[in-house]
Amino acid sequence: TQLLEQSPQFLSIQEGENLTVYCNSSSVFSSLQWYRQEPGEGPVLLVTVVTGGEVKKLKRLTFQFGDARKDSSLHITAAQTGDTGLYLCAGAYNFNKFYFGSGTKLNVKP
Amino acid sequence: DAGITQSPRHKVTETGTPVTLRCHQTENHRYMYWYRQDPGHGLRLIHYSYGVKDTDKGEVSDGYSVSRSKTEDFLLTLESATSSQTSVYFCAISESVQSNTEAFFGQGTRLTVV
């Protein structure tokens, strides 16, 4: 059983479109992180959200942490081909472990 | 880039043989982690370490053991490899477990058990 469920699993869109990726859990996390992974590489951190209801923006990417700290979303505005990759959410659990979601594989077509 | 080196990067081994994967860091971070990544499952925690000789199990620890005799090295051993352990293995490090701590990942080891 996955502690963190991500949806959708796969997303293929045209350049310029908007998209939202979701990360849901029944557990409460002290923080939640979003990572992006390219083929053949390890994940790289995009953002950390800590406070319930927090919203963070990173250029065209907007991250939100749910009020109850059980879920999060990643919204990309005007997607570009360079956004293609695997997006992973990770929750800090019991203050000494990171648990990851199953990931959303995004393909942005030119 | 964080100084994390995984070795080997690729390995093919036979069922029933022992295999050891190595993670070496130059950042002097206290916490080290081993994950496996499989399609549809994302990254799953195998074992982690919170200091020299201090380790604990993750969610998929069966069939794996770890050792950390020095701050910079974290070894993952498959005592008797099985086909179900074919996967990509990632090592990660973090400085602390405060809520805004980043985990830095190695480039991964692709292990195939035939």
Side-chain angles (χ1 to χ4, degrees):
Chain A
T1 303
Q2 203 80 25
L3 196 62
L4 283 163
E5 297 288 342
Q6 284 188 242
S7 61
Q9 281 191 308
F10 302 96
L11 196 53
S12 183
I13 61 172
Q14 294 294 137
E15 198 168 29
E17 291 183 5
N18 302 332
L19 67 116
T20 302
V21 175
Y22 299 93
C23 176
N24 295 297
S25 177
S26 57
S27 300
V28 176
F29 294 99
S30 55
S31 67
L32 199 138
Q33 301 178 324
W34 285 92
Y35 289 79
R36 181 165 162 265
Q37 184 180 17
E38 297 194 19
E41 302 290 331
V44 176
L45 181 70
L46 294 172
V47 77
T48 301
V49 285
V50 177
T51 306
E54 183 176 2
V55 176
K56 279 193 176 179
K57 292 193 174 183
L58 186 67
K59 297 184 181 178
R60 293 175 295 100
L61 278 59
T62 302
F63 304 86
Q64 185 161 7
F65 201 13
D67 291 341
R69 291 187 289 133
K70 292 183 179 181
D71 55 83
S72 181
S73 63
L74 157 60
H75 182 80
I76 301 179
T77 303
Q80 300 176 355
T81 55
D83 296 327
T84 292
L86 179 68
Y87 289 82
L88 296 157
C89 64
Y93 189 71
N94 283 345
F95 298 101
N96 56 6
K97 304 176 191 178
F98 292 97
Y99 281 99
F100 281 78
S102 53
T104 293
K105 194 168 186 178
L106 172 64
N107 179 36
V108 182
K109 297 175 286 187
Chain B
D1 290 342
I4 310 170
T5 305
Q6 290 186 232
S7 59
R9 292 292 314 279
H10 302 271
K11 186 169 182 67
V12 179
T13 192
E14 292 185 350
T15 299
T17 60
V19 177
T20 295
L21 309 183
R22 181 181 183 237
C23 177
H24 178 79
Q25 61 148 326
T26 58
E27 305 297 320
N28 201 36
H29 284 356
R30 178 180 173 187
Y31 298 88
M32 299 186 76
Y33 310 81
W34 276 107
Y35 291 89
R36 60 178 288 175
Q37 187 171 34
D38 305 287
H41 291 280
L43 284 157
R44 291 182 291 177
L45 182 64
I46 305 172
H47 282 279
Y48 66 101
S49 170
Y50 45 96
V52 173
K53 296 186 179 172
D54 291 324
T55 64
D56 204 351
K57 296 178 180 180
E59 55 184 317
V60 289
S61 59
D62 287 348
Y64 302 95
S65 62
V66 290
S67 66
R68 191 168 178 200
S69 58
K70 298 185 289 185
T71 298
E72 57 266 34
D73 289 325
F74 193 31
L75 304 181
L76 176 71
T77 297
L78 291 66
E79 300 291 344
S80 178
T82 67
S83 58
S84 64
Q85 294 176 311
T86 292
S87 186
V88 181
Y89 291 86
F90 285 97
C91 172
I93 63 174
S94 66
E95 192 168 16
S96 75
V97 290
Q98 298 303 312
S99 59
N100 59 351
T101 298
E102 177 177 359
F104 297 94
F105 285 81
Q107 291 190 299
T109 295
R110 184 173 293 277
L111 176 68
T112 303
V113 183
V114 298

